[in-house]
Amino acid sequence: MIRKKVKLAYITNDSSRKANYKKRKKGLMRKMSELSTLCGISACAIMYSPYESQPEVWPSRIGFQQVLSKFKMIPEMEERKNLVNQESFLSQRIVKVVEQLRKDYKDKREKEMTQVMFNNIYDKWVVHGLNFGDINDLNLLLVEKISNIDMRKDAFTMTPLLF
Amino acid sequence: MIRKKVKLAYITNDSSRKANYKKRKKGLMRKMSELSTLCGISACAIMYSPYESQPEVWPSRIGFQQVLSKFKMIPEMEERKNLVNQESFLSQRIVKVVEQLRKDYKDKREKEMTQVMFNNIYDKWVVHGLNFGDINDLNLLLVEKISNIDMRKDAFTMTPLLF
DNA sequence: GCTTCTATACTTAGCAG
DNA sequence: TCTGCTAAGTATAGAAG
């Protein structure tokens, strides 16, 4: 049981590579969470492996409803919605995008469709070397072109999502 | 020099919190890179702290040009561009989005503007509990509404970016 | 494949310059 | 501050069930 030093190279043996992945993924997730609580910072990690059908994400996707609830519950947020500076403009846009998203998800079929699309696209982004910096840039585009989205004008309501 | 066990709670002392952050961030980045090379998987991490003006991203944003070059160099990608199935449709859209992005970045002023916007928005997303899963969902929206973007039709050319 | 075990490798808290 | 040190604490490679 002599433990070797880590040889920093691709593990060719399939089963030990998978085992290694699962162990280290767990460790990474824990460290991510520790850093976040110890230092009070926001952090995210995503791992896209052939061992899982969905990308592994930290923090977990738990409760999109909770996220939406936060929007309602945070008073500063409500205040911001009534401000007229750029910041509040952006906040409102975000709220509306999220609302739009909620509505989209109500159509379960469409949801599955887009999920499949996402998997395809994300796979390509990663395969072709787009990192999260680049995905962020794509988000920039979203912001920029957001006025093209046919936003609904009605109030921001909170009904349960379908997932 | 008796070292305590980690007490998993917010470090109230400012300087030691910052020191802790920098050390652990470094460790996390290394582990991220190790996992990626050992297991050959795609992974990303982003940390948004008050200690740095820009979010800390792994892998680094090095060479968007390189990313664009990859698009040109990977033969399968070129083939896909000529297919007519959904997959190729999506690939083409990605290429065009990236192209659009490149053009957008040519306007340096606009670049800075959007960068500022991104920082504001990303901050809010994270502050209000949106994780990368959610940001991915927003990306779904981007895909969905992508037909609203006024795409340029000319060939995909490769000129240096301004950053 | 999966757990669980545990010796060893690695990480990092606290200190010093 | 930052850098480097080093021992205490933690993660994990490899084996066993």
Side-chain angles (χ1 to χ4, degrees), chain B residues 98-150:
Chain B
V98 172
E99 184 192 10
Q100 179 74 38
L101 180 64
R102 184 181 64 76
K103 290 187 195 312
D104 289 341
Y105 271 122
K106 271 188 166 171
D107 186 339
K108 197 157 183 277
R109 178 116 85 156
E110 190 177 336
K111 178 206 158 194
E112 287 163 3
M113 184 65 189
T114 50
Q115 192 60 47
V116 169
M117 287 170 73
F118 165 66
N119 285 339
N120 277 330
I121 287 175
Y122 185 78
D123 193 44
K124 278 178 190 45
W125 282 352
V126 171
V127 164
H128 294 298
L130 285 177
N131 56 39
F132 253 108
D134 306 326
I135 293 175
N136 289 335
D137 290 331
L138 290 172
N139 275 320
L140 280 182
L141 258 191
L142 167 61
V143 170
E144 204 179 348
K145 303 297 182 188
I146 208 150
S147 58
N148 290 334
I149 298 176
D150 181 26

Side-chain angles (χ1 to χ4, degrees), chain A residues 6-11 17 20-21 24-25 28 31-35 37-51 55 57-62 64 67 70-71 74 77 80 86-87 90-91 94 97-98 100-101 104-105 110-111 113-118 120-122 124-145 148-150 163, chain B residues 6-11 17 20-21 24-25 28 31-35 37-51 55 57-62 64 67 70-71 74 77 80 86-87 90-91 94 97-98 100-101 104-105 110-111 113-118 120-122 124-145 148-150 163:
Chain A
V6 278
K7 203 186 69 177
L8 203 64
Y10 181 72
I11 300 165
R17 186 172 63 256
N20 186 289
Y21 171 71
R24 280 171 173 265
K25 186 191 71 181
L28 252 175
K31 288 217 169 275
M32 213 78 195
S33 129
E34 286 177 6
L35 181 61
T37 58
L38 287 169
C39 306
I41 65 139
S42 302
C44 301
I46 186 164
M47 275 156 263
Y48 204 65
S49 80
Y51 313 117
V57 180
W58 189 93
S60 70
R61 301 180 80 131
I62 33 128
F64 200 74
V67 173
K70 273 190 191 169
F71 269 101
I74 296 171
M77 191 63 192
R80 279 210 181 95
Q86 188 201 47
E87 210 178 40
L90 296 175
S91 296
I94 292 163
V97 169
V98 172
Q100 179 76 40
L101 180 63
D104 287 344
Y105 271 122
E110 189 176 337
K111 178 206 157 196
M113 184 63 189
T114 48
Q115 192 59 47
V116 169
M117 288 171 71
F118 164 65
N120 277 330
I121 286 173
Y122 183 79
K124 281 181 187 41
W125 281 351
V126 171
V127 165
H128 294 296
L130 286 176
N131 59 37
F132 254 107
D134 307 324
I135 293 176
N136 288 335
D137 291 331
L138 289 173
N139 275 319
L140 279 180
L141 257 192
L142 168 62
V143 171
E144 202 181 350
K145 303 298 181 187
N148 289 335
I149 298 177
D150 181 27
F163 68 107
Chain B
V6 279
K7 204 185 66 175
L8 204 64
Y10 181 73
I11 299 165
R17 185 173 62 256
N20 186 289
Y21 171 72
R24 279 171 173 266
K25 186 191 73 183
L28 253 174
K31 287 218 170 272
M32 213 76 195
S33 127
E34 286 177 5
L35 181 60
T37 57
L38 286 170
C39 306
I41 65 142
S42 302
C44 300
I46 185 162
M47 275 156 263
Y48 204 65
S49 80
Y51 313 116
V57 180
W58 188 92
S60 71
R61 301 179 78 133
I62 32 126
F64 200 75
V67 174
K70 274 190 191 170
F71 269 102
I74 295 171
M77 191 63 191
R80 281 209 182 94
Q86 190 201 46
E87 208 176 43
L90 296 174
S91 296
I94 292 164
V97 169
V98 172
Q100 179 74 38
L101 180 64
D104 289 341
Y105 271 122
E110 190 177 336
K111 178 206 158 194
M113 184 65 189
T114 50
Q115 192 60 47
V116 169
M117 287 170 73
F118 165 66
N120 277 330
I121 287 175
Y122 185 78
K124 278 178 190 45
W125 282 352
V126 171
V127 164
H128 294 298
L130 285 177
N131 56 39
F132 253 108
D134 306 326
I135 293 175
N136 289 335
D137 290 331
L138 290 172
N139 275 320
L140 280 182
L141 258 191
L142 167 61
V143 170
E144 204 179 348
K145 303 297 182 188
N148 290 334
I149 298 176
D150 181 26
F163 68 105

Side-chain angles (χ1 to χ4, degrees), chain A residues 139-163:
Chain A
N139 275 319
L140 279 180
L141 257 192
L142 168 62
V143 171
E144 202 181 350
K145 303 298 181 187
I146 207 149
S147 58
N148 289 335
I149 298 177
D150 181 27
M151 293 282 196
R152 290 191 43 148
K153 299 255 173 60
D154 53 19
F156 184 58
T157 56
M158 201 68 50
T159 54
L161 291 169
L162 290 175
F163 68 107

